[in-house]
Short mmCIF file of all heavy atoms in Angstrom, two decimals:
data_model
loop_
_atom_site.label_atom_id
_atom_site.label_comp_id
_atom_site.label_asym_id
_atom_site.label_seq_id
_atom_site.Cartn_x
_atom_site.Cartn_y
_atom_site.Cartn_z
N TYR A 136 -8.08 8.59 -14.46
CA TYR A 136 -9.46 8.82 -13.95
C TYR A 136 -9.63 10.05 -13.04
O TYR A 136 -10.81 10.55 -12.92
CB TYR A 136 -9.98 7.55 -13.17
CG TYR A 136 -10.03 6.32 -14.05
CD1 TYR A 136 -9.07 5.34 -13.96
CD2 TYR A 136 -11.06 6.15 -15.01
CE1 TYR A 136 -9.10 4.18 -14.72
CE2 TYR A 136 -11.11 5.02 -15.79
CZ TYR A 136 -10.15 4.03 -15.67
OH TYR A 136 -10.19 2.90 -16.48
N HIS A 137 -8.59 10.42 -12.37
CA HIS A 137 -8.71 11.54 -11.43
C HIS A 137 -9.83 11.32 -10.41
O HIS A 137 -10.63 12.21 -10.13
CB HIS A 137 -8.85 12.90 -12.11
CG HIS A 137 -7.53 13.37 -12.72
ND1 HIS A 137 -6.56 13.97 -12.00
CD2 HIS A 137 -7.13 13.25 -14.01
CE1 HIS A 137 -5.59 14.32 -12.80
NE2 HIS A 137 -5.88 13.82 -14.05
N LEU A 138 -9.92 10.10 -9.91
CA LEU A 138 -10.82 9.73 -8.85
C LEU A 138 -10.09 9.28 -7.63
O LEU A 138 -8.95 8.83 -7.73
CB LEU A 138 -11.75 8.56 -9.35
CG LEU A 138 -12.73 8.90 -10.47
CD1 LEU A 138 -13.39 7.61 -10.98
CD2 LEU A 138 -13.83 9.85 -9.99
N PRO A 139 -10.66 9.45 -6.43
CA PRO A 139 -10.01 9.01 -5.19
C PRO A 139 -9.58 7.53 -5.31
O PRO A 139 -10.25 6.71 -5.91
CB PRO A 139 -11.07 9.19 -4.12
CG PRO A 139 -11.98 10.29 -4.67
CD PRO A 139 -11.98 10.03 -6.16
N ILE A 140 -8.44 7.24 -4.70
CA ILE A 140 -7.84 5.91 -4.75
C ILE A 140 -7.53 5.38 -3.40
O ILE A 140 -7.14 6.14 -2.49
CB ILE A 140 -6.50 5.97 -5.56
CG1 ILE A 140 -6.76 6.45 -7.01
CG2 ILE A 140 -5.75 4.64 -5.54
CD1 ILE A 140 -5.45 6.83 -7.74
N ALA A 141 -7.74 4.08 -3.20
CA ALA A 141 -7.25 3.39 -1.99
C ALA A 141 -6.55 2.13 -2.47
O ALA A 141 -7.01 1.47 -3.44
CB ALA A 141 -8.40 3.02 -1.06
N VAL A 142 -5.46 1.81 -1.86
CA VAL A 142 -4.80 0.49 -2.09
C VAL A 142 -5.66 -0.50 -1.28
O VAL A 142 -5.59 -0.42 -0.04
CB VAL A 142 -3.34 0.49 -1.69
CG1 VAL A 142 -2.71 -0.88 -1.94
CG2 VAL A 142 -2.59 1.57 -2.41
N THR A 143 -6.40 -1.38 -1.96
CA THR A 143 -7.37 -2.20 -1.25
C THR A 143 -6.93 -3.63 -1.02
O THR A 143 -7.58 -4.36 -0.31
CB THR A 143 -8.68 -2.18 -2.00
OG1 THR A 143 -8.45 -2.27 -3.41
CG2 THR A 143 -9.46 -0.94 -1.73
N GLU A 144 -5.79 -4.00 -1.57
CA GLU A 144 -5.16 -5.29 -1.15
C GLU A 144 -3.63 -5.15 -1.24
O GLU A 144 -3.13 -4.79 -2.29
CB GLU A 144 -5.62 -6.44 -2.04
CG GLU A 144 -7.00 -6.90 -1.85
CD GLU A 144 -7.43 -8.10 -2.66
OE1 GLU A 144 -6.50 -8.85 -3.11
OE2 GLU A 144 -8.61 -8.32 -2.91
N LEU A 145 -3.00 -5.41 -0.11
CA LEU A 145 -1.54 -5.41 -0.06
C LEU A 145 -1.11 -6.57 0.79
O LEU A 145 -1.38 -6.61 2.02
CB LEU A 145 -1.01 -4.12 0.49
CG LEU A 145 0.48 -3.76 0.22
CD1 LEU A 145 0.67 -3.48 -1.28
CD2 LEU A 145 0.91 -2.54 1.00
N HIS A 146 -0.54 -7.55 0.20
CA HIS A 146 -0.16 -8.83 0.89
C HIS A 146 1.02 -9.48 0.19
O HIS A 146 1.06 -9.43 -1.09
CB HIS A 146 -1.38 -9.76 0.98
CG HIS A 146 -1.07 -11.13 1.50
ND1 HIS A 146 -0.79 -11.34 2.85
CD2 HIS A 146 -0.92 -12.33 0.87
CE1 HIS A 146 -0.54 -12.61 3.04
NE2 HIS A 146 -0.61 -13.26 1.87
N ASN A 147 1.86 -10.13 0.92
CA ASN A 147 2.96 -10.83 0.37
C ASN A 147 3.10 -12.15 1.11
O ASN A 147 3.44 -12.21 2.30
CB ASN A 147 4.28 -10.00 0.52
CG ASN A 147 5.51 -10.71 -0.06
OD1 ASN A 147 5.36 -11.71 -0.79
ND2 ASN A 147 6.64 -10.19 0.22
N GLY A 148 2.79 -13.25 0.39
CA GLY A 148 2.92 -14.57 1.06
C GLY A 148 4.37 -15.00 1.07
O GLY A 148 4.82 -15.69 0.16
N SER A 149 5.03 -14.66 2.09
CA SER A 149 6.51 -14.89 2.19
C SER A 149 6.93 -15.05 3.62
O SER A 149 6.13 -15.23 4.52
CB SER A 149 7.27 -13.74 1.43
OG SER A 149 8.62 -14.03 1.36
N THR A 150 8.24 -14.94 3.80
CA THR A 150 8.76 -14.95 5.21
C THR A 150 8.38 -13.62 5.88
O THR A 150 8.03 -12.63 5.23
CB THR A 150 10.30 -15.10 5.20
OG1 THR A 150 10.87 -14.08 4.32
CG2 THR A 150 10.67 -16.46 4.60
N ARG A 151 8.45 -13.65 7.16
CA ARG A 151 7.92 -12.49 7.95
C ARG A 151 8.62 -11.19 7.63
O ARG A 151 7.94 -10.16 7.51
CB ARG A 151 8.00 -12.77 9.44
CG ARG A 151 7.14 -11.81 10.22
CD ARG A 151 5.66 -12.15 10.15
NE ARG A 151 5.45 -13.36 10.96
CZ ARG A 151 5.02 -14.53 10.45
NH1 ARG A 151 4.74 -14.60 9.15
NH2 ARG A 151 4.81 -15.55 11.21
N ASP A 152 9.94 -11.24 7.45
CA ASP A 152 10.65 -10.00 7.15
C ASP A 152 10.19 -9.39 5.85
O ASP A 152 9.94 -8.21 5.72
CB ASP A 152 12.16 -10.32 7.08
CG ASP A 152 12.43 -11.63 6.42
OD1 ASP A 152 12.08 -12.69 7.00
OD2 ASP A 152 13.04 -11.66 5.28
N GLU A 153 10.01 -10.24 4.82
CA GLU A 153 9.55 -9.75 3.51
C GLU A 153 8.07 -9.31 3.60
O GLU A 153 7.71 -8.36 2.87
CB GLU A 153 9.70 -10.85 2.45
CG GLU A 153 11.13 -11.34 2.29
CD GLU A 153 12.08 -10.26 1.67
OE1 GLU A 153 11.94 -9.10 1.98
OE2 GLU A 153 12.94 -10.67 0.89
N GLN A 154 7.27 -9.91 4.39
CA GLN A 154 5.90 -9.45 4.54
C GLN A 154 5.85 -8.05 5.14
O GLN A 154 5.09 -7.19 4.67
CB GLN A 154 5.12 -10.40 5.47
CG GLN A 154 4.77 -11.73 4.84
CD GLN A 154 3.85 -12.57 5.71
OE1 GLN A 154 4.14 -12.74 6.92
NE2 GLN A 154 2.76 -13.04 5.16
N LEU A 155 6.67 -7.83 6.13
CA LEU A 155 6.66 -6.50 6.78
C LEU A 155 7.27 -5.42 5.86
O LEU A 155 6.77 -4.32 5.75
CB LEU A 155 7.43 -6.57 8.10
CG LEU A 155 7.36 -5.34 9.01
CD1 LEU A 155 5.92 -4.95 9.32
CD2 LEU A 155 8.18 -5.54 10.29
N ARG A 156 8.32 -5.80 5.16
CA ARG A 156 8.92 -4.89 4.19
C ARG A 156 7.94 -4.48 3.07
O ARG A 156 7.89 -3.34 2.66
CB ARG A 156 10.20 -5.50 3.59
CG ARG A 156 11.35 -5.59 4.57
CD ARG A 156 12.42 -6.51 4.06
NE ARG A 156 13.55 -6.65 4.95
CZ ARG A 156 14.40 -7.66 4.99
NH1 ARG A 156 14.22 -8.67 4.12
NH2 ARG A 156 15.42 -7.71 5.81
N TRP A 157 7.16 -5.47 2.61
CA TRP A 157 6.20 -5.23 1.58
C TRP A 157 5.10 -4.27 2.04
O TRP A 157 4.70 -3.33 1.27
CB TRP A 157 5.57 -6.53 1.11
CG TRP A 157 4.64 -6.43 -0.04
CD1 TRP A 157 3.31 -6.65 -0.01
CD2 TRP A 157 4.92 -6.04 -1.38
NE1 TRP A 157 2.74 -6.44 -1.29
CE2 TRP A 157 3.71 -6.09 -2.11
CE3 TRP A 157 6.10 -5.65 -2.04
CZ2 TRP A 157 3.69 -5.75 -3.49
CZ3 TRP A 157 6.05 -5.30 -3.40
CH2 TRP A 157 4.81 -5.36 -4.13
N LEU A 158 4.64 -4.46 3.24
CA LEU A 158 3.65 -3.58 3.80
C LEU A 158 4.15 -2.15 3.89
O LEU A 158 3.50 -1.19 3.48
CB LEU A 158 3.19 -4.06 5.16
CG LEU A 158 2.22 -3.12 5.93
CD1 LEU A 158 0.85 -3.05 5.21
CD2 LEU A 158 2.04 -3.58 7.39
N VAL A 159 5.34 -2.02 4.46
CA VAL A 159 5.89 -0.66 4.62
C VAL A 159 6.25 -0.03 3.32
O VAL A 159 6.06 1.20 3.11
CB VAL A 159 7.14 -0.71 5.60
CG1 VAL A 159 7.83 0.62 5.69
CG2 VAL A 159 6.67 -1.19 7.00
N ASP A 160 6.79 -0.76 2.39
CA ASP A 160 7.09 -0.25 1.02
C ASP A 160 5.81 0.25 0.36
O ASP A 160 5.78 1.32 -0.26
CB ASP A 160 7.72 -1.36 0.16
CG ASP A 160 9.21 -1.35 0.22
OD1 ASP A 160 9.76 -0.74 1.17
OD2 ASP A 160 9.85 -1.97 -0.63
N GLY A 161 4.70 -0.53 0.53
CA GLY A 161 3.45 -0.11 -0.02
C GLY A 161 2.92 1.18 0.53
O GLY A 161 2.39 2.07 -0.08
N TRP A 162 3.07 1.29 1.88
CA TRP A 162 2.66 2.49 2.57
C TRP A 162 3.43 3.69 2.07
O TRP A 162 2.88 4.79 1.83
CB TRP A 162 2.82 2.27 4.11
CG TRP A 162 2.51 3.49 4.92
CD1 TRP A 162 3.34 4.51 5.33
CD2 TRP A 162 1.18 3.83 5.47
NE1 TRP A 162 2.66 5.41 6.04
CE2 TRP A 162 1.35 5.02 6.18
CE3 TRP A 162 -0.06 3.22 5.42
CZ2 TRP A 162 0.27 5.63 6.81
CZ3 TRP A 162 -1.11 3.79 6.07
CH2 TRP A 162 -0.95 5.00 6.78
N LYS A 163 4.77 3.56 1.97
CA LYS A 163 5.59 4.61 1.52
C LYS A 163 5.25 5.05 0.08
O LYS A 163 5.28 6.21 -0.28
CB LYS A 163 7.07 4.26 1.64
CG LYS A 163 7.57 4.15 3.11
CD LYS A 163 9.02 3.78 3.15
CE LYS A 163 9.54 3.78 4.58
NZ LYS A 163 10.98 3.31 4.63
N ALA A 164 5.00 4.05 -0.77
CA ALA A 164 4.63 4.33 -2.18
C ALA A 164 3.34 5.15 -2.22
O ALA A 164 3.21 6.08 -3.00
CB ALA A 164 4.55 3.04 -2.97
N ALA A 165 2.34 4.72 -1.46
CA ALA A 165 1.07 5.41 -1.41
C ALA A 165 1.21 6.80 -0.88
O ALA A 165 0.66 7.76 -1.42
CB ALA A 165 0.05 4.65 -0.58
N GLN A 166 2.08 6.95 0.13
CA GLN A 166 2.28 8.30 0.69
C GLN A 166 3.01 9.21 -0.32
O GLN A 166 2.68 10.39 -0.44
CB GLN A 166 3.14 8.16 1.97
CG GLN A 166 3.29 9.50 2.75
CD GLN A 166 1.95 10.03 3.29
OE1 GLN A 166 1.31 9.37 4.09
NE2 GLN A 166 1.57 11.23 2.79
N ALA A 167 3.93 8.61 -1.07
CA ALA A 167 4.69 9.39 -2.11
C ALA A 167 3.77 9.86 -3.17
O ALA A 167 3.82 11.00 -3.70
CB ALA A 167 5.83 8.53 -2.65
N ALA A 168 2.84 8.90 -3.60
CA ALA A 168 1.87 9.29 -4.62
C ALA A 168 0.91 10.41 -4.14
O ALA A 168 0.56 11.31 -4.87
CB ALA A 168 1.05 8.10 -5.11
N LYS A 169 0.55 10.28 -2.90
CA LYS A 169 -0.31 11.27 -2.28
C LYS A 169 0.39 12.65 -2.21
O LYS A 169 -0.18 13.67 -2.56
CB LYS A 169 -0.71 10.82 -0.88
CG LYS A 169 -1.70 11.73 -0.12
CD LYS A 169 -2.06 11.15 1.21
CE LYS A 169 -3.02 12.03 2.02
NZ LYS A 169 -4.37 12.10 1.41
N ASP A 170 1.65 12.63 -1.84
CA ASP A 170 2.43 13.80 -1.72
C ASP A 170 2.62 14.52 -3.08
O ASP A 170 2.78 15.69 -3.18
CB ASP A 170 3.82 13.53 -1.09
CG ASP A 170 3.71 13.15 0.39
OD1 ASP A 170 2.65 13.43 1.00
OD2 ASP A 170 4.68 12.59 0.94
N SER A 171 2.62 13.69 -4.14
CA SER A 171 2.81 14.20 -5.49
C SER A 171 1.52 14.68 -6.14
O SER A 171 1.54 15.14 -7.29
CB SER A 171 3.51 13.21 -6.38
OG SER A 171 2.68 12.11 -6.61
N GLY A 172 0.38 14.58 -5.41
CA GLY A 172 -0.83 15.16 -5.89
C GLY A 172 -2.02 14.20 -6.09
O GLY A 172 -3.12 14.62 -6.35
N ALA A 173 -1.76 12.90 -6.07
CA ALA A 173 -2.86 11.93 -6.24
C ALA A 173 -3.71 11.88 -4.95
O ALA A 173 -3.19 11.98 -3.85
CB ALA A 173 -2.31 10.53 -6.55
N ASP A 174 -5.01 11.68 -5.11
CA ASP A 174 -5.91 11.62 -3.98
C ASP A 174 -5.94 10.17 -3.49
O ASP A 174 -6.87 9.42 -3.82
CB ASP A 174 -7.30 12.09 -4.41
CG ASP A 174 -8.32 12.14 -3.23
OD1 ASP A 174 -7.90 11.87 -2.09
OD2 ASP A 174 -9.47 12.48 -3.45
N VAL A 175 -4.97 9.82 -2.73
CA VAL A 175 -4.85 8.46 -2.14
C VAL A 175 -5.34 8.47 -0.70
O VAL A 175 -4.83 9.24 0.14
CB VAL A 175 -3.38 7.96 -2.19
CG1 VAL A 175 -3.33 6.50 -1.71
CG2 VAL A 175 -2.84 8.08 -3.60
N ARG A 176 -6.35 7.65 -0.42
CA ARG A 176 -6.98 7.65 0.88
C ARG A 176 -6.45 6.66 1.90
O ARG A 176 -6.38 6.95 3.09
CB ARG A 176 -8.50 7.35 0.70
CG ARG A 176 -9.23 8.32 -0.26
CD ARG A 176 -9.33 9.72 0.24
NE ARG A 176 -9.97 10.65 -0.69
CZ ARG A 176 -11.28 10.82 -0.80
NH1 ARG A 176 -12.14 10.12 -0.08
NH2 ARG A 176 -11.75 11.71 -1.67
N ALA A 177 -6.04 5.48 1.42
CA ALA A 177 -5.73 4.43 2.39
C ALA A 177 -4.90 3.35 1.76
O ALA A 177 -4.81 3.25 0.50
CB ALA A 177 -7.01 3.82 2.96
N VAL A 178 -4.24 2.54 2.59
CA VAL A 178 -3.60 1.29 2.26
C VAL A 178 -4.27 0.19 3.06
O VAL A 178 -4.39 0.34 4.27
CB VAL A 178 -2.08 1.36 2.53
CG1 VAL A 178 -1.44 0.04 2.36
CG2 VAL A 178 -1.42 2.41 1.58
N THR A 179 -4.56 -0.93 2.43
CA THR A 179 -5.28 -2.02 3.12
C THR A 179 -4.38 -3.23 3.34
O THR A 179 -3.80 -3.80 2.41
CB THR A 179 -6.50 -2.46 2.28
OG1 THR A 179 -7.32 -1.36 1.99
CG2 THR A 179 -7.28 -3.53 3.03
N ALA A 180 -4.20 -3.53 4.60
CA ALA A 180 -3.49 -4.78 4.98
C ALA A 180 -4.42 -5.91 4.71
O ALA A 180 -5.41 -6.14 5.42
CB ALA A 180 -3.07 -4.78 6.41
N TRP A 181 -4.18 -6.70 3.66
CA TRP A 181 -5.09 -7.75 3.24
C TRP A 181 -4.73 -9.08 3.87
O TRP A 181 -3.65 -9.26 4.38
CB TRP A 181 -5.03 -7.90 1.72
CG TRP A 181 -6.10 -8.82 1.12
CD1 TRP A 181 -5.89 -9.97 0.45
CD2 TRP A 181 -7.55 -8.61 1.18
NE1 TRP A 181 -7.09 -10.55 0.10
CE2 TRP A 181 -8.10 -9.75 0.56
CE3 TRP A 181 -8.33 -7.63 1.75
CZ2 TRP A 181 -9.49 -9.87 0.42
CZ3 TRP A 181 -9.73 -7.78 1.63
CH2 TRP A 181 -10.24 -8.93 0.95
N SER A 182 -5.69 -9.96 3.82
CA SER A 182 -5.46 -11.38 4.35
C SER A 182 -5.01 -11.32 5.83
O SER A 182 -4.01 -11.90 6.19
CB SER A 182 -4.49 -12.15 3.50
OG SER A 182 -4.95 -12.34 2.22
#
């Protein structure tokens, strides 16, 4: 689509360590996609 993107739900119903790892992994993935040229605006901590 070549339209701006935001990750609008990122949540992991798990133990606290896995919840935090999932959030940070998602942030890093979004940042990597942004660095490679995608117009990624945000990551949303859901729930």
Side-chain angles (χ1 to χ4, degrees):
Y136 298 104
H137 285 279
L138 292 171
I140 297 167
V142 180
T143 39
E144 288 184 21
L145 199 66
H146 171 73
N147 181 13
S149 186
T150 55
R151 194 77 72 244
D152 39 294
E153 301 291 37
Q154 288 187 308
L155 188 57
R156 289 164 179 158
W157 183 245
L158 174 68
V159 173
D160 269 16
W162 178 269
K163 289 179 178 178
Q166 187 65 62
K169 184 178 178 68
D170 291 344
S171 65
D174 185 2
V175 185
R176 305 291 178 87
V178 170
T179 305
W181 187 246
S182 296

